[in-house]
Amino acid sequence: MSPDTRARILDAALQSFASPGFEATSLDVLATKLGVRKQTILYHFGTKDALLDAVIDCSAAELADALERALAKAGPGFERVEALVKAVFRLAARRPELLGLLREVTRLGPPATTRLTDALDPLVGRAHAFLEVEMASGTMRRQDARLLLLNAYSTVIGAATEAEVLRAVGVEPTARSLLRRRNELLSFLRSALVA
């Protein structure tokens, strides 16, 4: 079996796990879409749960890489927050299935959420330390850094991925509205954080 087959399976599973969701994904249907037998998927991953684990690992690595690249180019202080938010919204535009998977994994609960949080823990730890330093120096308002990260994560993921909720409040999820939501979120974060 070629590495290309494995990559194709991971990509198709990511698409399907993100929407319609893990439980709604059938390995038989996935195999048919890929033009392979179900046994080919099982050869590479063993079980549907093992496939989910592999998708989580690849997605967490892709997300971490995108955020690390954004941070490498960012300036100090709030510019780092801005760079991260922009990177996530770029992913929402280019790879919505990646953020959709994050939303789905959160819904699934453990052990999937544990796997994802373990993979992203180094980034979260660095973000927490950054916020603590900025708050201690007085450049950002004093808040509970962990709650701030949780709220920022929920807000960014929601603003970037919840098409049905957006439609319910009269916002059509287009590229233009994605940019507007990103800018409004950055303005909100700036006013909430910058001292």
Side-chain angles (χ1 to χ4, degrees), residues 85 89 155-156 181-190:
V85 170
F89 273 80
T155 303
V156 170
R181 291 191 313 274
R182 183 200 75 187
N183 291 340
E184 287 174 4
L185 177 60
L186 283 170
S187 177
F188 172 78
L189 288 172
R190 182 180 295 279

Side-chain angles (χ1 to χ4, degrees), residues 18 27 68 84 100 146 188:
L27 292 184
E68 291 289 356
L84 290 176
R146 293 232 180 254
F188 172 78

